[in-house]
Amino acid sequence: MILFLAFVWINRRLPGMQVLLVGLLLNLIVMAVNGGWMPISPEVASRVLGDNVQKHVNLGSRFGQKDILLPAQNMHLAFLSDRFLLPAWSPYQVAFSAGDILIAVGAFWLMAGPPANITEPKRSSE
């Protein structure tokens, strides 16, 4: 995450990078105050897996690649946690955060926006 933050900071003048940077910072803040992991509630995790997650994962244990399973009352900055879900009809179920949304918007803006102003090298007159 630190390398990604450095990359975004270096390229912050590109279109969309400032939005991406805010999303990245939101994710880093919520992870920092929750022991270095992105918190996810058992209710949201159960909706992703389709069954009772607590049968397989204990509260306070890691869940997936980057999450930690915590009840909402034990989360710090719960409103920034992985709490949003794709619609039920989507074949790909995943939980995501407000920071993830901003990262996606910034990345889309970067790729779909106009090209950055790149100055052409000066040509010598012949």
Side-chain angles (χ1 to χ4, degrees):
M1 291 290 274
I2 299 301
L3 291 176
F4 187 35
L5 180 62
F7 172 80
V8 172
W9 180 255
I10 289 168
N11 292 289
R12 68 188 177 276
R13 289 185 179 84
L14 293 175
M17 279 295 199
Q18 291 178 353
V19 174
L20 198 150
L21 179 62
V22 170
L24 182 60
L25 289 173
L26 289 177
N27 280 355
L28 285 173
I29 289 167
V30 71
M31 291 170 72
V33 299
N34 285 286
W37 304 102
M38 178 62 79
I40 186 169
S41 71
E43 296 80 21
V44 172
S46 291
R47 288 186 53 203
V48 170
L49 291 180
D51 64 355
N52 187 353
V53 171
Q54 290 181 339
K55 290 180 187 174
H56 309 288
V57 181
N58 294 325
L59 289 176
S61 297
R62 288 197 44 205
F63 175 78
Q65 297 291 323
K66 62 175 180 62
D67 293 324
I68 186 168
L69 193 65
L70 292 175
Q73 65 268 21
N74 291 0
M75 289 182 198
H76 302 286
L77 301 175
F79 64 96
L80 294 176
S81 69
D82 277 352
R83 58 182 304 148
F84 302 107
L85 296 163
L86 293 176
W89 51 261
S90 173
Y92 183 69
Q93 287 299 305
V94 64
F96 53 95
S97 66
D100 295 336
I101 294 169
L102 292 176
I103 290 169
V105 167
F108 181 77
W109 186 358
L110 176 66
M111 292 189 290
N117 280 340
I118 300 174
T119 58
E120 301 231 358
K122 293 183 181 182
R123 296 183 182 160
S124 62
S125 49
E126 294 179 31

